[in-house]
């Protein structure tokens, strides 16, 4: 095509086709090179001096030099009948500067429409821009198959199909599809952006986020129904055509307005307390498995009098106890023929305290000195011997004093359900026998306020969560129970998730520590699978991950590292909860030996696994239950059958 003011031919360019070809080429290149938003195409039309961008889709470009024209500007007829003038207007090439009669803009040569019937000054004319004004209000947007037109130049109140909100402004609408309208603020949003720039650094992400014109329900399910990374709100599956910003490399999704508003949820990043006002504030999670709440409160540095006094009332054990110090580790005690070793998941050695049921990872500690035939695995942290004998005004049972008990009554082998965290436990308890209320020793010293790295800038207080509230860590429901909550942000955390999930764990098949993660890992290129159970893992729920080896573990499967088992669900697991919750038997110490007159061999208290098959008496499955397993024959029974067996 040729035009009056240019000597070279012009070629028609389809911008959307060019963009699709560029996308295909970029996908073949190294993904890591694309770490900044790409500039969108734009140039200036030689005739109207307005911007040419991809929304106009087509434009003409000179094949030999840098001249560009809108398609509608290049294709204007040489003679027109315009509503603003009674005579036909003819397109002429101008050799002098001139002023448009309508918009009064000065033009440097170029072309203009003139009326041959009227006497017009040589320095006057009508520019192409004023003639094609209606065509400029028509765009081709990649989100919609039909052209969109802005017919009303005055602001109107209307529903935007892009963001899903009703607001006032200028809208583009489709003349083919009824009720399809998009606000100008949304329709010209950038195709990619860095969220740290649009939110003034409140939120950050390594990669640019790309604009997506829908988020189908099937895709949401495939990505484990993610939440907005800014407001933590859900994406509505019934409004899947709403636009979003996303980074598919990192499974990072953001609502349209959240990605473009500097004020969105900024309060979460502003600290609402001063450290000097809370000198003893408990900051969770604990660094690793060597830490616990009793240790935090009652640990004493080694010294000549640190271990002088031990309360027999607290210990309450039938056999002699020996104090294992640093020199005793790895040596042989008086009666036990095996070496005394601390808890070590890397070597699959388990040693749990009978009071707090947390790992004993260092000396000093107390251990039963019974003979090997008695098979007693009793052990105590040294600091657990200093637990107070009673608690007053505990938030889980403030009406009565709770007394320390080494063996809680009314339970199967002293297993009770903690009133605060609702997990089964056979460790020491603070209990009220009259009300049958028992609280494990970790929950017994639960502070009224904490901070947690999953919600780091706000204090979390003990509150009763309302209806249908989710735990920020495990994403399971809190169920009107006492939990740690931030009322300002409507955020809640289970006590068990706060106390029992350390920041790092060790895995015998991975030489690096695995870190607690609350969100998908940046630049994680493969699907998420648990290294223990080999099942899919939802990265939007808390899990352990090794950055060096790209290995992940469900938080519930983490305690199975010692047993190398492949299943960890229990009968205490609610049907709607997944492996994103704390292991149900985290507060149960297995390995004790029991005898019954109705079976000739000793029975081991253990968690039921797939290899245990069915109960020898009632033939129901034993997997995921607390069971008694014979050490010498295939006999194994569940809790109910053991009770019936002892009554017969």
């Amino acid at each position: 095509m040729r035009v009056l003011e240019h000597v070279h031919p012009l070629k028609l360019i389809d911008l959307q086709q060019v963009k699709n070809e560029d996308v295909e080429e970029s996908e073949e290149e190294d993904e890591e090179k694309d770490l900044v938003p790409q500039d969108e195409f734009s140039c200036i039309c030689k005739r109207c001096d307005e911007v040419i961008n991809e929304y106009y889709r087509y434009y003409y470009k000179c094949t030999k030099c840098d001249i560009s024209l809108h398609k509608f500007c290049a294709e204007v007829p040489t003679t027109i009948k315009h509503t603003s003038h009674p005579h036909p207007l003819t397109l002429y090439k101008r050799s002098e500067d001139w002023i448009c009669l309508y918009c009064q803009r000065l033009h440097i040569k170029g072309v203009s429409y003139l009326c041959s019937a009227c006497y017009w000054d040589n320095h006057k004319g009508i520019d192409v821009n004023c003639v094609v004004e209606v065509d400029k209000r028509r765009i081709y947007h990649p989100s919609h198959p039909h052209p969109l037109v802005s017919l009303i130049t005055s602001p109107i109140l209307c529903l935007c199909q892009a963001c899903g909100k009703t607001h006032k402004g200028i809208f583009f609408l489709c003349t083919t599809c009824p009720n399809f309208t998009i606000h100008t603020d949304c329709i010209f949003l950038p195709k990619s952006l860095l969220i740290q720039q649009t939110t003034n650094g409140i939120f950050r992400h390594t990669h640019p986020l790309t604009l997506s014109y829908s988020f189908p329900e099937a895709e949401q399910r495939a990505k484990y129904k993610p939440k907005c990374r800014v407001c933590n709100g859900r994406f509505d599956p019934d409004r899947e055509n709403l636009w979003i910003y996303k980074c598919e490399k990192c499974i990072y999704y953001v609502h349209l307005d959240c990605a473009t508003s500097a004020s969105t949820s900024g309060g979460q990043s502003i600290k609402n307390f001063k450290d000097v006002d809370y000198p003893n504030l408990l900051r969770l999670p604990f660094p690793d498995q060597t830490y616990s709440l009793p240790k935090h409160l009652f640990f004493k540095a080694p010294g000549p009098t640190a271990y002088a006094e031990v309360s027999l009332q607290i210990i309450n054990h039938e056999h002699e106890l020996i104090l294992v110090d640093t020199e005793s580790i790895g040596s042989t005690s008086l009666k036990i023929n095996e070496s005394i070793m601390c808890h070590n998941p890397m070597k699959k050695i388990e040693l749990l305290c009978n009071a707090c049921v947390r790992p004993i990872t260092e000396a000093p500690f107390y251990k039963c000195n019974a003979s090997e035939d008695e098979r007693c695995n009793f052990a105590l942290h040294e600091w657990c011997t200093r637990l107070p004998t009673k608690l007053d005004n505990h938030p889980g049972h403030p009406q009565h004093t709770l007394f320390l008990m080494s063996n809680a009554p009314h339970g199967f082998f002293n297993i009770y359900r903690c009133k605060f965290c609702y997990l089964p436990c056979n460790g020491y308890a603070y209990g009220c026998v009259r009300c049958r209320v028992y609280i494990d020793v970790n929950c017994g010293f639960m502070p009224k306020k904490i901070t947690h790295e999953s919600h780091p800038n706000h204090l979390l207080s003990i509150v009763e969560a309302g209806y249908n509230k989710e735990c920020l860590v495990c994403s399971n429901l809190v169920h009107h129970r006492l939990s740690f909550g931030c009322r300002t942000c409507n955020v809640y955390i289970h006590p068990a998730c706060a106390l029992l999930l350390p920041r790092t764990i060790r895995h015998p098949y991975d030489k690096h520590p695995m870190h607690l993660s609350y969100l998908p890992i940046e630049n994680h290129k493969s699907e998420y699978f648990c290294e223990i159970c080999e099942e899919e893992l939802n990265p939007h729920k808390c899990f352990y991950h090794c950055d060096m080896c790209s290995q992940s573990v469900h938080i519930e499967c983490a305690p199975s590292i010692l047993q190398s088992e492949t299943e960890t669900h229990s009968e205490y697991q609610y049907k709607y909860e997944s492996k994103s919750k704390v292991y149900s038997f985290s507060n149960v110490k297995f390995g004790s030996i029991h005898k019954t007159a109705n079976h000739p061999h000793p029975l081991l208290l253990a968690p039921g696994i797939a290899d245990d098959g069915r109960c020898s008496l009632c033939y129901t499955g034993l997997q995921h239950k607390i069971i008694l397993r014979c050490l010498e024959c295939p006999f194994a029974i569940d809790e109910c059958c053991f009770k019936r067996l002892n009554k017969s």
Side-chain angles (χ1 to χ4, degrees), residues 13-25:
I13 306 295
D14 184 345
L15 284 171
Q16 292 189 9
Q17 181 180 352
V18 171
K19 182 179 180 180
N20 292 335
E21 292 174 354
D22 291 341
V23 170
E24 292 177 0
E25 292 178 1

Side-chain angles (χ1 to χ4, degrees), residues 420 461-465 478 481-485 491-495:
F420 200 78
S461 306
I462 293 180
V463 295
E464 183 172 346
V478 182
R481 297 175 179 172
L482 290 176
S483 61
F484 290 108
V491 163
Y492 302 91
I493 299 178
H494 287 123

